[in-house]
Amino acid sequence: MNEDYNNLLEEIKTSSCPNCKRLLRIIEEQQRIIEKQQIMIKELERKVKELERRLNKYENAHTPPSEKKFFDPPSNQPHKTPGRPIGHSGTTRPVPIPNFILT
């Protein structure tokens, strides 16, 4: 694939058509952009690995709570007591009438 690509570029360079020259400039500019993006991708991958390594220091089973840097923020809801509200009048279900009685 790379050899075919290089042969095609050489063919375009030796061509005398004006559109081919314009196309060649576009291809060269795109190659420069791709090279810059590849460098950026490698740098970002390195940064992600470093950040994951740092994060893993604080996210293992042996880290005491005082050392954990990342925690869930407390909820904004007020603390509620479990059970029925104070002053609630209770209700009781009526006892059902049996269909038959075993004797």
Side-chain angles (χ1 to χ4, degrees):
M1 171 77 183
N2 198 16
E3 187 176 324
D4 292 336
Y5 177 75
N6 289 336
N7 290 338
L8 181 62
L9 281 180
E10 286 303 318
E11 196 175 309
I12 291 173
K13 286 179 184 178
T14 57
S15 173
S16 62
C17 89
N19 287 334
C20 292
K21 301 294 180 185
R22 198 173 112 237
L23 179 62
L24 183 62
R25 284 194 304 270
I26 292 171
I27 290 172
E28 290 171 346
E29 178 63 28
Q30 288 178 344
Q31 284 178 332
R32 283 192 291 274
I33 291 171
I34 289 171
E35 289 171 1
K36 287 179 184 179
Q37 289 174 340
Q38 287 174 338
I39 292 170
M40 285 178 62
I41 288 171
K42 287 180 182 179
E43 289 177 9
L44 291 173
E45 286 175 342
R46 184 189 55 77
K47 284 181 183 181
V48 166
K49 284 181 183 178
E50 171 64 21
L51 291 172
E52 285 176 343
R53 185 190 63 76
R54 287 175 50 196
L55 180 62
N56 285 335
K57 284 175 60 175
Y58 298 105
E59 285 189 353
N60 64 45
H62 304 291
T63 304
S66 62
E67 287 295 317
K68 291 187 178 180
K69 305 291 185 200
F70 305 102
F71 57 92
D72 294 333
S75 66
N76 293 335
Q77 297 178 355
H79 178 68
K80 289 185 168 184
T81 57
R84 63 183 172 88
I86 297 174
H88 174 73
S89 60
T91 59
T92 305
R93 295 177 64 183
V95 178
I97 301 172
N99 294 337
F100 58 92
I101 300 175
L102 295 175
T103 54

